[in-house]
Amino acid sequence: MSKRLNHKNAFRRATRVLADKRLSNKLLMEVKQTLTSRAKASEKIGQLRNKISTLIRLVKAYTKGSYKNISFKSMIYTVGVLIYFITPMDIVPDFIPVSGFIDDASLILWLYNHLGYELQQFKAWESKQEEK
């Protein structure tokens, strides 16, 4: 993934990631690595670990084709936010102590609330898969 995020091409990049399992796997790996390193540096990001993990599982299930009960637009938003999360040079650069991660945390919280019912459905589906 490129380390710079251009707002104008974010949707195009998210669409490309969703269409390519190799790119989506690479993104998810980078998100996990970023989450681990940022959780150590920022309590706010650490508190979002479960939410980010849910988003990772959602993208993984969607790109594998095992879960499709979510709008494509919601998946574009999800991938776009995850791309933003791993991008160190975003609106507030991540090297700025504390405030560098607040924009990431705010965007993740916004997405989580925005997806609301769709995430509830995904978690219910996920629970049923674990029961099998």
Side-chain angles (χ1 to χ4, degrees):
M1 295 277 124
S2 171
K3 295 301 177 199
R4 288 210 173 265
L5 182 63
N6 180 332
H7 180 274
K8 292 180 182 180
N9 71 9
F11 284 115
R12 184 177 34 223
R13 287 177 64 189
T15 302
R16 197 169 50 240
V17 167
L18 282 173
D20 185 328
K21 285 184 183 180
R22 184 183 59 77
L23 287 177
S24 66
N25 287 337
K26 183 177 179 183
L27 170 67
L28 296 178
M29 183 180 70
E30 288 184 40
V31 170
K32 288 176 186 177
Q33 291 170 346
T34 302
L35 176 59
T36 299
S37 66
R38 288 193 188 168
K40 292 175 186 171
S42 168
E43 183 180 323
K44 191 74 155 169
I45 295 295
Q47 292 171 352
L48 296 175
R49 181 180 291 277
N50 289 337
K51 289 179 176 15
I52 295 169
S53 295
T54 299
L55 297 173
I56 290 169
R57 292 191 317 272
L58 172 63
V59 172
K60 192 174 203 172
Y62 186 88
T63 57
K64 284 173 59 178
S66 57
Y67 186 78
K68 295 288 186 180
N69 194 23
I70 188 167
S71 71
F72 186 70
K73 183 178 178 180
S74 291
M75 288 308 302
I76 293 292
Y77 283 137
T78 302
V79 170
V81 167
L82 293 176
I83 290 171
Y84 186 86
F85 178 70
I86 66 168
T87 305
M89 297 304 292
D90 47 38
I91 293 172
V92 180
D94 295 335
F95 61 82
I96 298 173
V98 183
S99 61
F101 299 129
I102 291 175
D103 64 323
D104 295 339
S106 297
L107 199 53
I108 290 163
L109 287 173
W110 170 83
L111 175 68
Y112 213 82
N113 290 329
H114 176 76
L115 294 179
Y117 182 68
E118 288 180 301
L119 274 178
Q120 288 176 359
Q121 287 183 306
F122 170 69
K123 288 188 220 175
W125 172 84
E126 201 174 36
S127 292
K128 288 180 185 175
Q129 299 308 302
E130 291 171 2
E131 292 172 4
K132 290 181 180 182

